[in-house]
Amino acid sequence: MTGILLIMLALQSATLVADWKAGFLLITVLGVCYIYFGNNPVGHQRKFRIRSFLNWFPMGLLYAFLYMGRYNLTVSKTALGSLMTKESFGLIFAAGTITYAFSFLINGPLVDKIGGKKGMLIGGAGAALANILMGIMTFMLLHGQLSINTTVAFAILYSLNMYFQSYGAVSIVKVNAHWFHVKERGIFGGIFGTLISLGIYFAFTWGQAIVNATSVEPSKEVGLFGGFLRTLLGSETSDMNQTWFVFFIPAVLLLIMFVIELFLLKDTPEEAGFDSFDTEDASSGEMDQEFTSWQIIKKILTNPIILTIAGIEFCSGVLRNGIMHWYWIFVAEAGPTIQQGSVFFKSHWGELLSLAGIYGGFFAGIMSDRIFGSRRGPSATLNYAGLVLCMVVTAIVLWKFPIALGVMMITSSFLVIGVHGLLSGTATMDFGGRRGAATAVGVVDGFVYLGTGVQSLSLGYITSWNWTYWPIFLIPFSLIGTFLAIRIWKAFPDSKRKGAA
């Protein structure tokens, strides 16, 4: 499976993008693998480490392709232009993210019951189907065959997509809660951030490359692979842009990973032929007890630490997507001066976001494990304090210093993806435990996407009125997130409080 990703990224580097950026990302992914195999604080056998890698890495690819099939909506919006207005995009994205948020109320407890493998397979297959339907919808729109309201049609299909997408995070955390000890989960937070970042890379860089390759008149050189794609899909002889492939291609990749994971993914080490071990999280000492779904839900919803983490992650949802999506649109609308000063950031947005997320995730995770003794609160607090500073500077430089604006956007992404990976990907395992990991991440990620929905609805209208208020809208959320992170500074899983080694 390592070879599959390396071949794909090498092909992207050599032919589709034809410069240093994908190669640098490839080296970074290899570095992630090196960090994983070099971090073994509890002394697992090498055989176990290899099988664990074969468990989380392909699952991580499936998760990354889910992201590609989620944020391709942003890429399609820029390609469709006036056929999808900012207000429509905001409403569609908000409908999907609010659906995603409330889906966790069902899918978190469900995955705790049926297991993470089934959850990943359901999510992958369902998201593939939804992307195929959105591709068909885009085909009909561009051919003038869509007689119903475009915004409503896309909102329904994108909401269906996001329902199935919600299986991804709860399932990957559920599986890995059984495979990672508390002492190594900070590093897993970095891995989780890497998976998110790869998905963003696939969505923005590969997605934009697909749009370029399937355009009637590509805006730039598409490279050898792009030329092959144009020939394969008949783009060279088409009389219109074939934007629908930005939905079809992620669907195909999801289905490929579905087949692979059907045979390779295992819920627990025992299913892969290894002995069970105590991960020393909140479920320690309770694994031989039976809990109903309602008992697990009650434990999660009455845990003040998890509820505080959910509040922090609500702010993360506002900030992460308030930066990632709207900077892309701001540059397109801000005029020639901003556009000229933002060429590097706009041209390399997918790669820069990916690298920021990867390094941000490992920065937060390593700081948590190595400096703060596997406590997540201090690392989250420092990252959020940095976000406050970044948002204030962004408001100051917005219209005058495009290079400084780009630097603030990437730095903010570094910080907020680091927090998101650490809290949604790691703290939920710690405090939800193996029993309730999916329910815990369901609650927390539900708040992430409630925040995402709030920013989508709000910024869709605010930016149509006056872009100046874009960063000003984000500042209060960075302050609230900092305050809440301070409140969990000393938090540990119950087993750690009891003195477990």
Side-chain angles (χ1 to χ4, degrees):
M1 285 309 302
T2 307
I4 292 175
L5 180 64
L6 299 189
I7 290 170
M8 293 173 70
L9 290 178
L11 182 62
Q12 175 75 357
S13 178
T15 63
L16 192 56
V17 181
D19 63 13
W20 58 269
K21 55 185 181 288
F24 188 43
L25 183 64
L26 173 60
I27 293 172
T28 301
V29 172
L30 289 172
V32 168
C33 298
Y34 176 80
I35 290 172
Y36 165 75
F37 281 106
N39 180 63
N40 190 13
V42 294
H44 290 303
Q45 294 181 347
R46 182 170 180 80
K47 184 178 179 181
F48 177 90
R49 298 285 290 168
I50 292 172
R51 184 61 184 87
S52 175
F53 175 81
L54 292 175
N55 213 59
W56 69 256
F57 192 81
M59 181 171 55
L61 279 181
L62 175 53
Y63 188 65
F65 289 135
L66 282 171
Y67 259 72
M68 184 182 183
R70 182 185 312 178
Y71 292 132
N72 52 357
L73 181 71
T74 306
V75 178
S76 72
K77 185 261 178 288
T78 59
L80 292 171
S82 61
L83 291 175
M84 184 182 290
T85 67
K86 283 192 299 180
E87 291 88 347
S88 292
F89 171 77
L91 289 170
I92 294 165
F93 198 79
T97 52
I98 291 171
T99 299
Y100 186 93
F102 284 102
S103 295
F104 284 122
L105 298 176
I106 300 171
N107 294 342
L110 177 62
V111 168
D112 271 327
K113 185 177 180 65
I114 66 175
K117 176 174 180 173
K118 290 179 181 177
M120 286 300 293
L121 295 177
I122 292 170
L129 173 62
N131 269 273
I132 290 170
L133 293 175
M134 285 191 289
I136 294 171
M137 187 74 71
T138 305
F139 177 91
M140 294 173 65
L141 175 64
L142 291 173
H143 282 83
Q145 299 173 355
L146 195 61
S147 59
I148 60 176
N149 185 290
T150 303
T151 302
V152 173
F154 270 102
I156 292 171
L157 291 182
Y158 193 64
S159 295
L160 177 67
N161 180 38
M162 294 299 278
Y163 169 75
F164 286 108
Q165 291 269 347
S166 70
Y167 280 93
V170 296
S171 299
I172 197 169
V173 172
K174 177 66 174 178
V175 171
N176 285 318
H178 291 271
W179 287 83
F180 285 86
H181 189 277
V182 165
K183 292 180 181 178
E184 55 185 342
R185 287 179 180 175
I187 299 297
F188 173 74
I191 292 171
F192 193 77
T194 299
L195 304 178
I196 294 170
S197 300
L198 282 177
I200 293 170
Y201 173 79
F202 295 151
F204 285 101
T205 300
W206 286 17
Q208 189 59 51
I210 292 167
V211 167
N212 289 337
T214 55
S215 296
V216 175
E217 296 181 1
S219 60
K220 60 182 180 180
E221 179 62 39
V222 297
L224 294 175
F225 182 75
F228 170 75
L229 191 62
R230 286 176 62 77
T231 301
L232 178 67
L233 302 177
S235 303
E236 294 176 334
T237 58
S238 176
D239 58 354
M240 68 172 60
N241 296 335
Q242 298 173 302
T243 308
W244 50 86
F245 282 107
V246 81
F247 296 106
F248 287 153
I249 291 176
V252 171
L253 293 171
L254 284 168
L255 291 175
I256 291 172
M257 294 309 304
F258 172 90
V259 174
I260 292 171
E261 289 296 77
L262 190 62
F263 299 99
L264 195 60
L265 182 60
K266 302 296 181 184
D267 278 312
T268 66
E270 299 94 300
E271 291 183 12
F274 296 93
D275 294 334
S276 62
F277 69 99
D278 186 5
T279 60
E280 296 184 2
D281 56 25
S283 291
S284 292
E286 299 180 344
M287 292 303 292
D288 59 343
Q289 301 177 34
E290 292 295 329
F291 292 95
T292 66
S293 294
W294 286 113
Q295 287 175 318
I296 293 174
I297 292 170
K298 182 179 178 181
K299 287 186 68 174
I300 297 302
L301 293 180
T302 56
N303 187 321
I305 296 172
I306 290 178
L307 294 179
T308 303
I309 290 170
I312 299 169
E313 285 291 80
F314 174 86
C315 298
S316 298
V318 173
L319 290 162
R320 184 180 63 153
N321 292 280
I323 294 163
M324 185 166 59
H325 294 292
W326 294 101
Y327 173 75
W328 181 275
I329 299 171
F330 170 74
V331 172
E333 296 187 357
T337 301
I338 299 293
Q339 290 171 359
Q340 290 170 9
S342 306
V343 169
F344 174 80
F345 297 98
K346 184 69 185 292
S347 301
H348 302 78
W349 188 235
E351 295 81 5
L352 290 171
L353 281 178
S354 300
L355 295 174
I358 290 169
Y359 293 125
F362 277 101
F363 174 77
I366 290 172
M367 186 164 53
S368 171
D369 275 353
R370 302 289 173 82
I371 298 177
F372 297 111
S374 295
R375 285 181 293 146
R376 317 307 175 194
S379 184
T381 300
L382 294 176
N383 275 32
Y384 252 96
L387 281 167
V388 174
L389 178 62
C390 286
M391 290 301 98
V392 171
V393 174
T394 297
I396 295 170
V397 305
L398 182 63
W399 293 107
K400 296 180 179 179
F401 303 101
I403 294 177
L405 173 63
V407 171
M408 286 300 99
M409 294 294 96
I410 296 304
T411 304
S412 299
S413 297
F414 171 93
L415 295 169
V416 75
I417 295 176
V419 171
H420 179 55
L422 186 68
L423 296 185
S424 286
T426 302
T428 49
M429 285 194 283
D430 293 347
F431 298 104
R434 284 155 287 172
R435 287 283 194 186
T439 301
V441 75
V443 170
V444 170
D445 252 20
F447 274 82
V448 172
Y449 280 87
L450 280 176
T452 301
V454 167
Q455 67 79 32
S456 186
L457 282 173
S458 302
L459 290 175
Y461 288 98
I462 289 172
T463 59
S464 296
W465 169 47
N466 191 330
W467 274 104
T468 299
Y469 294 98
W470 165 43
I472 293 173
F473 171 81
L474 299 175
I475 290 173
F477 295 98
S478 64
L479 290 168
I480 294 168
T482 304
F483 170 75
L484 293 175
I486 292 172
R487 291 180 61 85
I488 61 166
W489 184 279
K490 297 181 179 180
F492 277 112
D494 288 340
S495 64
K496 298 290 287 183
R497 290 201 200 100
K498 294 171 185 175

